[in-house]
Amino acid sequence: MTAPEQLASVRYVVDDVQAAVDFYTTHLGFSLRMSAAPAFADVVRGPLRLLLSGPASSGARATPADAATAGRNRIHLVVDDLDDEIGRLRTAGLSFRGELITGPGGRQILLTDPAGNLVELFQPAR
């Protein structure tokens, strides 16, 4: 396992840690690194360490009240075949925010985790 100091860490505040762990490990290829649910869990995909902080965690309690909802920031996950990923995730009952967008650098679509945090799925242009 990669040492934490070799990972890029992002904290998402969630309202249900176990639901977030299930979402990321079942649908997006993350592995559970550590769980102290319902307060906190730590999942990893490649060099990305995603810290999932529930309402009881110190990370969530440190969040100012006016910033307590999910923001416009998002993690960016590169996929090989965006159409296959969209189909797989829709079959699993997940929904997307907005439509598929195509630009000069590639194609992307936004997904939300159970707490409403954004996840961008991106396929680079060939």
Side-chain angles (χ1 to χ4, degrees):
M1 185 172 288
T2 306
E5 62 273 4
Q6 295 175 322
L7 300 171
S9 296
V10 173
R11 182 181 310 278
Y12 269 175
V13 175
V14 300
D15 50 6
D16 184 331
V17 171
Q18 190 57 55
V21 167
D22 293 345
F23 173 83
Y24 286 100
T25 60
T26 300
H27 302 296
L28 297 178
F30 282 78
S31 298
L32 180 64
R33 186 178 173 94
M34 189 278 288
S35 178
F40 174 82
D42 181 348
V43 295
V44 175
R45 176 180 162 167
L48 175 59
R49 179 179 183 217
L50 189 55
L51 310 171
L52 303 169
S53 295
S57 75
S58 60
R61 290 192 320 263
T63 304
D66 64 347
T69 60
R72 295 177 50 127
N73 296 318
R74 56 190 179 243
I75 59 172
H76 171 95
L77 303 177
V78 176
V79 299
D80 292 327
D81 188 326
L82 187 56
D83 294 321
D84 281 353
E85 285 295 308
I86 292 169
R88 180 181 69 78
L89 296 168
R90 281 199 172 126
T91 298
L94 303 182
S95 57
F96 294 88
R97 292 285 309 266
E99 300 299 319
L100 178 71
I101 303 294
T102 301
R107 301 168 47 210
Q108 64 183 304
I109 194 164
L110 296 178
L111 180 67
T112 55
D113 75 7
N117 294 299
L118 295 172
V119 176
E120 177 183 326
L121 302 177
F122 178 79
Q123 180 181 348
R126 299 202 157 107

